[in-house]
Amino acid sequence: MDGRVLIKNAPYEHPKVEFGKIGVLLINLGTPQATDPVSLRRYLAEFLTDRRVIEWSRWLWYPILYGIVLNTRPRKVAKAYETIWNKEKGESYLRTYTRSQASQLANRLSEFSSVRIDWAMRYGKPSIRSKIQDLQESGCERILLYPLYPQYAAATTATVNDESFRALINLRWQPAIRTVPRYHDDPIYIDALANSIESHLATLDWEPEILLTSYHGIPMSYFKKGDPYHCQCHKTTRLLGERLGWDKDRIMVTFQSRFGPEEWLQPYTDKTVEELAKNGTKKIAVINPGFVSDCLETLDEIAVEAKEAFLHSGGERFTHVPCLNDGTDGMKVIEHVVRKELAGWV
């Protein structure tokens, strides 16, 4: 038996079809295929032409994008990627971790013989479109989409869902779809973050005076249009501080990775680390609760650039708490969310 089933009483020429399976698709932001400027240009072009990411008029944005950004930024970003590239596997760590998360999740859900686990990237490869088609062709009549973002933002969760539903347009036999909602306040997620902080700080011979919870920023205009991201970030940090049992003034919310001339959510991470050092704070730690896996924004922008800014401004000790990645606590969160959202299907 090859797992395919002939439809009973079907015409002789009817193709064999597979059905009765359930798919789970883990989806992260994306990654270039390599660290050369050509690969970075291709990746950035796909990312920065997404209307969910850049909401400016195309008449205003495209001349800037194609005339300036894509002619200057790829070479600069390529150098940064080169410093944090997984040389052993020849890929970004984001790809390495996401693949591992899918593999470990399959093992954790092995009691469900009907469930198929796969992974994709919103930008780059493997594409959402190709993976949805693969799951459908393997017999998945139902698919759970898991955008790997604890806090909801239109520029992250929504664009993953947009692309997923666009992929259905080309399918004659469309699977039923569920999407994982935000889980920024889920106790399992908060506990995993707290465990990661406590475990990391236990390896140090010093105590941070302040912990920054640095989230990827969004333009202030998006927030004013009703994006709930800002509020969800603050709630995550508040619950995390309560779980750790810390005073409110020991944990702060900041936002990083701003791009372009308009105002973004504040306070900015880079400015904050400089101000803290100049005002006498000597020891800080930074964690990125909104990133499921370490990537350029955490391994370079925080662990390298923010550290240099803090020490250069008078700080003495700086540590970056790694993302949950594919560790035990991180996988516990992913498994918990998937099991909850598969209720009624398995």
Side-chain angles (χ1 to χ4, degrees):
M1 296 291 289
D2 62 4
R4 293 181 294 179
V5 180
L6 275 174
I7 303 298
K8 189 176 181 181
N9 299 324
Y12 174 76
E13 67 276 11
H14 194 288
K16 291 182 179 181
V17 296
E18 293 192 45
F19 58 90
K21 306 298 183 185
I22 299 166
V24 177
L25 189 60
L26 305 183
I27 309 170
N28 215 317
L29 179 76
T31 174
Q33 293 296 99
T35 60
D36 61 278
V38 174
S39 297
L40 264 298
R41 190 178 196 278
R42 185 183 304 116
Y43 168 70
L44 289 173
E46 183 180 9
F47 176 43
L48 296 175
T49 54
D50 186 344
R51 291 178 178 271
R52 288 285 196 180
V53 175
I54 305 294
E55 296 185 6
W56 296 356
S57 161
R58 304 295 96 175
W59 291 101
L60 172 64
W61 173 232
Y62 275 15
I64 299 173
L65 176 63
Y66 288 100
I68 301 174
V69 176
L70 293 181
N71 289 321
T72 59
R73 192 166 180 80
R75 192 170 301 278
K76 177 183 178 182
V77 177
K79 293 180 180 179
Y81 266 106
E82 184 66 28
T83 66
I84 56 95
W85 205 248
N86 185 342
K87 302 291 197 304
E88 181 180 344
K89 293 183 177 293
E91 63 185 18
S92 70
Y93 279 101
L94 183 66
R95 179 186 296 273
T96 302
Y97 288 132
T98 308
R99 181 194 298 110
S100 177
Q101 288 161 348
S103 176
Q104 290 194 52
L105 180 63
N107 291 333
R108 286 168 173 261
L109 299 180
S110 60
E111 76 264 31
F112 301 121
S113 60
S114 62
V115 174
R116 299 287 183 269
I117 311 295
D118 214 332
W119 60 282
M121 296 293 175
R122 172 60 184 90
Y123 314 105
K125 297 179 180 180
S127 69
I128 294 173
R129 186 179 301 271
S130 68
K131 289 301 183 177
I132 286 182
Q133 183 171 341
D134 287 349
L135 287 171
Q136 192 274 337
E137 290 177 352
S138 71
C140 293
E141 297 177 89
R142 305 176 183 186
I143 297 177
L144 174 66
L145 304 174
Y146 190 155
L148 291 166
Y149 310 108
Q151 296 79 22
Y152 174 95
T156 53
T157 308
T159 189
V160 164
N161 293 339
D162 289 346
E163 183 66 12
S164 300
F165 283 101
R166 279 194 291 267
L168 298 180
I169 293 174
N170 297 323
L171 297 181
R172 180 169 296 278
W173 186 351
Q174 293 182 336
I177 297 291
R178 283 182 180 176
T179 63
V180 167
R182 83 291 178 278
Y183 53 98
H184 64 288
D185 55 358
D186 190 296
I188 302 297
Y189 163 65
I190 298 298
D191 199 51
L193 291 175
N195 288 342
S196 72
I197 293 168
E198 291 170 340
S199 297
H200 182 78
L201 296 186
T203 67
L204 307 177
D205 60 1
W206 54 275
E207 282 281 332
E209 300 164 62
I210 291 178
L211 171 72
L212 298 186
T213 56
S214 181
Y215 299 86
H216 198 294
I218 61 171
M220 183 64 72
S221 60
Y222 297 8
F223 168 60
K224 292 180 177 178
K225 290 177 182 177
D227 201 302
Y229 179 71
H230 177 267
C231 301
Q232 292 178 7
C233 293
H234 275 273
K235 186 172 185 181
T236 294
T237 296
R238 176 175 62 79
L239 293 175
L240 179 58
E242 292 173 358
R243 162 60 178 77
L244 291 168
W246 289 5
D247 293 336
K248 292 181 179 179
D249 59 0
R250 194 183 174 191
I251 186 168
M252 295 177 59
V253 175
T254 61
F255 297 94
Q256 64 182 84
S257 308
R258 63 188 183 278
F259 175 79
E262 68 177 303
E263 181 184 5
W264 283 47
L265 295 180
Q266 296 190 37
Y268 300 138
T269 301
D270 57 351
K271 301 296 184 184
T272 300
V273 298
E274 292 177 0
E275 291 171 1
L276 285 172
K278 292 176 181 178
N279 291 333
T281 300
K282 298 299 182 183
K283 297 175 286 188
I284 67 170
V286 183
I287 189 173
N288 299 105
F291 293 83
V292 168
S293 301
D294 276 307
C295 55
L296 185 70
E297 285 81 2
T298 66
L299 297 175
D300 182 66
E301 187 176 353
I302 298 300
V304 177
E305 294 181 4
K307 178 179 180 179
E308 290 177 353
F310 181 71
L311 298 179
H312 180 74
S313 300
E316 296 178 356
R317 297 292 185 93
F318 180 103
T319 189
H320 175 244
V321 182
C323 293
L324 296 176
N325 295 318
D326 58 350
T328 301
D329 284 320
M331 289 310 306
K332 187 181 297 184
V333 175
I334 292 174
E335 180 187 0
H336 162 70
V337 171
V338 169
R339 286 182 180 274
K340 181 171 65 173
E341 298 305 322
L342 285 179
W345 278 7
V346 296

